[in-house]
Amino acid sequence: MNKLQLDDIQAEKLIKCLKNVLKKHIKNLSKNDKGQFMLESNKDGIQRQYQVNYMYATDNTHINLMDLKTKLTLVRINLDSKFHNNSDGKVWGHRIEIFSEEEFYQKNDSFTHIKAYPLPYEDIKDTGDFLIALKELLDYTNTHKQNRLQITISRNFDLW
């Protein structure tokens, strides 16, 4: 069995440490768009970079915050009607997936290192709105300089 490059305490620190959006990111989303932008933290003189990947589609929206050094997901929001199979059962529908060392060892598949929880979760609402979900994920992960993100939704994008 592989060993994770992070433990729960390290992951929690990475999730909660102050982050800044590195460069201005401008995107007008339309159906099935994907994108990414970078975040950076500098805590106790240690710089760390993160990547936020997103996909925007009808009933298939995902926002994923990953530690760039380890390539491990720290937090992921899924706004879809699918499920995530935790070691203790399935979580259906809108959910948040959080890094979990325990889940990695319980699942024992050498891959799964996140545990899913239904939304709402802590301060993150259950919403179908991509922009609200993105803002709440960035707030949850203590990300500042969000004014560098200019993401809009195409007017002609029909959700139904």
Side-chain angles (χ1 to χ4, degrees):
M1 158 147 260
N2 294 340
K3 186 173 177 181
L4 279 171
Q5 296 179 46
L6 295 173
D7 62 30
D8 286 339
I9 294 168
Q10 293 167 323
E12 184 65 24
K13 286 180 182 176
L14 291 177
I15 290 169
K16 296 297 182 182
C17 73
L18 177 67
K19 298 170 193 68
N20 291 305
V21 178
L22 275 177
K23 297 179 182 176
K24 194 171 212 178
H25 182 77
I26 301 170
K27 183 80 172 189
N28 186 20
L29 292 176
S30 57
K31 189 175 181 179
N32 298 322
D33 262 349
K34 296 178 182 179
Q36 68 182 37
F37 57 90
M38 302 299 294
L39 305 176
E40 179 181 60
S41 68
N42 189 351
K43 183 163 172 97
D44 302 326
I46 299 171
Q47 283 192 312
R48 193 92 177 205
Q49 290 191 327
Y50 307 83
Q51 183 172 305
V52 176
N53 298 311
Y54 57 85
M55 185 175 94
Y56 179 72
T58 304
D59 194 38
N60 199 20
T61 294
H62 309 280
I63 308 166
N64 185 63
L65 172 70
M66 168 181 76
D67 172 47
L68 204 55
K69 181 178 179 181
T70 62
K71 306 287 190 218
L72 294 172
T73 294
L74 299 172
V75 182
R76 177 181 171 101
I77 292 180
N78 290 314
L79 304 178
D80 59 34
S81 57
K82 299 173 188 166
F83 66 90
H84 177 83
N85 197 16
N86 286 336
S87 60
D88 60 356
K90 293 181 180 178
V91 176
W92 289 89
H94 293 186
R95 61 201 177 279
I96 187 167
E97 297 165 354
I98 306 284
F99 178 92
S100 172
E101 184 180 15
E102 180 182 353
E103 186 68 9
F104 177 79
Y105 293 113
Q106 285 184 355
K107 194 99 181 252
N108 197 23
D109 63 4
S110 297
F111 175 75
T112 305
H113 59 277
I114 51 177
K115 184 164 185 165
Y117 303 91
L119 288 174
Y121 177 85
E122 293 188 10
D123 293 333
I124 299 175
K125 298 177 190 139
D126 184 3
T127 179
D129 187 310
F130 172 86
L131 297 174
I132 291 172
L134 176 61
K135 171 119 177 64
E136 291 193 357
L137 175 94
L138 294 173
D139 288 344
Y140 177 76
T141 60
N142 202 19
T143 300
H144 295 258
K145 297 191 179 177
Q146 292 183 25
N147 61 334
R148 292 183 180 169
L149 297 175
Q150 294 178 7
I151 300 176
T152 55
I153 310 281
S154 292
R155 288 179 160 251
N156 60 358
F157 182 57
D158 186 8
L159 291 175
W160 314 109

